[in-house]
Amino acid sequence: MFILHHDKRGKYNLLPGEERKKLQQKLEIIVNTRYSINEEEITKNVAALSAPVFGAKGKVIGAISISGPVFRWNKESMEQHISLLLKTAESISKSLY
């Protein structure tokens, strides 16, 4: 598996070994739990809870996400919404079969 990083100059580079291992571990957790929690990974002061949406052939075709400011929307507040997010993503996926 090649894991690429899109740098500020618009070029793609292989992630260094240690970063690649961390990302692979995180991806394994996401595959097993079917959701991802993001706290300021992309945008400062923004957190998100996301789940994949699968198409008719079982491949990921999109995602459903709930986001908000970190001071209100953090891991603790997200936990109570994981079940509903997963049910909603599954419902959307099933409607596409």
Side-chain angles (χ1 to χ4, degrees):
M1 173 189 328
F2 295 103
I3 299 177
L4 300 175
H5 168 72
H6 190 242
D7 67 20
K8 292 179 181 179
R9 298 172 304 195
K11 298 192 181 229
Y12 287 93
N13 302 299
L14 285 176
L15 277 177
E18 192 59 37
E19 285 183 57
R20 186 174 33 242
K21 285 180 189 175
K22 286 180 185 177
L23 181 58
Q24 285 173 324
Q25 289 171 343
K26 185 172 182 175
L27 289 172
E28 285 177 25
I29 292 168
I30 293 168
V31 167
N32 291 329
T33 62
R34 296 263 179 156
Y35 69 89
S36 175
I37 291 177
N38 162 352
E39 287 184 300
E40 298 186 288
E41 290 178 19
I42 298 171
T43 306
K44 186 176 172 111
N45 298 319
V46 176
L49 175 63
S50 305
V53 172
F54 296 91
K57 295 182 180 177
K59 293 191 177 193
V60 175
I61 60 166
I64 184 169
S65 179
I66 308 166
S67 62
V70 173
F71 72 89
R72 263 196 324 241
W73 190 240
N74 52 50
K75 284 183 183 178
E76 187 177 313
S77 61
M78 289 181 205
E79 286 181 4
Q80 61 187 324
H81 300 282
I82 291 170
S83 177
L84 181 58
L85 177 79
L86 292 174
K87 287 176 187 173
T88 303
E90 183 179 352
S91 175
I92 294 169
S93 297
K94 286 181 178 179
S95 74
L96 300 174
Y97 292 171

